[in-house]
Amino acid sequence: MTSTEQGRRKYDELADRYEEVFPYVADVGRQLITFAAPQPGWRVLDVGAGRGAVARAALDRGCVVTATDASQGMVARLAADFPDITARQMDAGRLDFPAGSFDLVTAGFVIQVLADPGMALAEAHRVLAPGGMLALSLEKQSVGRLRWLYELASEFFGIPVPDDDDENTGAMTAKKLTVLMTDAGFVDLTAEPVAMPVPLADASALWDWLAPRGLGDAVRSLPDERAEQFRDRFLAGAEDMDTGGGIKLDFQATLHKGLSAAPS
């Protein structure tokens, strides 16, 4: 199975519960549309639309919205939930639209998961009318107060501990995205940060949050004794975090926008 096929299958499986698994998506989708500030009647294309967090915010502003996603499951749910949105299955790097078809292209938390983000940005530039706008949200990889958990995962699963300030990890960053947008022909670039805190009640709540997001499968792959050791140390670390200021997942993002330069 290729990485693209694996990604499609993952999002097909998440289609019914995507915004429950990632509850900040809807709020940041609204913020991205506020940031872009489209006018009623604008032709908007939302790429990698998922369940429609960005697309439905644009619809609420009176825009004419087309949404694409590589996952057929996501597209089916989006079309059923929002019949006023034209939903189509499509890859971000091969958009089946004529040049100059849209006034605004959006992508919420999409660019960092694409195998070739440069191609997707070039396609966004192609389908925009001259002077049209691209608006993106980018999730920031941040360790913060969860460093203890990353270190624990590194010990048990061999997962490298990320560095908040390392531009050489291969992850998409705001600086890298700025370069890619410029290379794709976008001008007048602006960006602003977004905080997405998710407070949790206690150590058990943190476990319950992470278990369906991959932690449960990882722990089940361990021998029984190691799995018990991991869980005990996880709960101890979470309780220390709770007493040291509370358990809050400090998700962060940046919003980016730029204008499509006219062909030279």
Side-chain angles (χ1 to χ4, degrees):
M1 187 186 301
T2 67
S3 60
T4 299
E5 291 167 343
Q6 288 172 335
R8 286 175 179 164
R9 178 172 293 184
K10 169 187 173 183
Y11 288 109
D12 281 343
E13 293 172 350
L14 283 171
D16 289 336
R17 55 193 177 93
Y18 181 74
E19 292 188 13
E20 289 73 33
V21 174
F22 303 103
Y24 50 80
V25 166
D27 183 51
V28 179
R30 290 188 292 270
Q31 293 185 57
L32 182 61
I33 289 298
T34 298
F35 183 61
Q39 298 300 306
W42 275 25
R43 301 165 298 166
V44 176
L45 172 64
D46 186 32
V47 176
R51 291 289 300 280
V54 179
R56 62 183 184 256
L59 192 66
D60 287 344
R61 283 184 171 245
C63 299
V64 179
V65 182
T66 301
T68 67
D69 200 283
S71 163
Q72 182 57 45
M74 291 290 193
V75 170
R77 283 299 308 266
L78 181 59
D81 292 343
F82 302 98
D84 289 336
I85 294 173
T86 300
R88 295 178 60 184
Q89 184 181 15
M90 201 175 296
D91 288 337
R94 295 188 297 274
L95 297 175
D96 187 19
F97 301 108
S101 295
F102 299 98
D103 305 300
L104 171 65
V105 173
T106 59
F109 295 138
V110 173
I111 198 71
Q112 68 264 33
V113 302
L114 299 177
D116 191 340
M119 181 179 292
L121 292 171
E123 276 290 88
H125 191 278
R126 181 185 67 80
V127 301
L128 276 170
M133 182 187 297
L134 172 69
L136 309 170
S137 58
L138 174 67
E139 188 168 356
K140 179 181 178 182
Q141 302 300 309
S142 178
V143 175
R145 293 177 60 234
L146 284 176
R147 178 166 292 279
W148 64 270
L149 178 55
Y150 283 96
E151 292 173 348
L152 187 63
S154 179
E155 177 184 341
F156 277 78
F157 307 114
I159 301 171
V161 179
D163 186 336
D164 287 336
D165 299 319
D166 189 359
E167 287 285 324
N168 299 311
T169 61
M172 180 63 69
T173 64
K175 289 181 181 179
K176 292 176 183 178
L177 179 54
T178 295
V179 171
L180 288 173
M181 289 177 67
T182 300
D183 289 346
F186 291 97
V187 297
D188 296 336
L189 305 185
T190 58
E192 67 178 37
V194 174
M196 307 178 291
V198 177
L200 298 171
D202 53 28
S204 294
L206 179 60
W207 178 273
D208 291 343
W209 166 271
L210 293 171
R213 293 165 174 81
L215 182 64
D217 289 339
V219 173
R220 282 189 289 273
S221 73
L222 296 171
D224 290 346
E225 183 177 351
R226 288 284 285 170
E228 184 176 354
Q229 290 173 354
F230 180 90
R231 185 179 177 92
D232 289 344
R233 290 180 57 187
F234 174 95
L235 292 174
E239 287 166 1
D240 287 343
M241 184 181 183
D242 196 11
T243 58
I247 298 177
K248 183 174 67 173
L249 305 180
D250 295 318
F251 295 110
Q252 300 175 34
T254 48
L255 306 181
H256 299 256
K257 64 182 177 182
L259 300 181
S260 173
S264 56

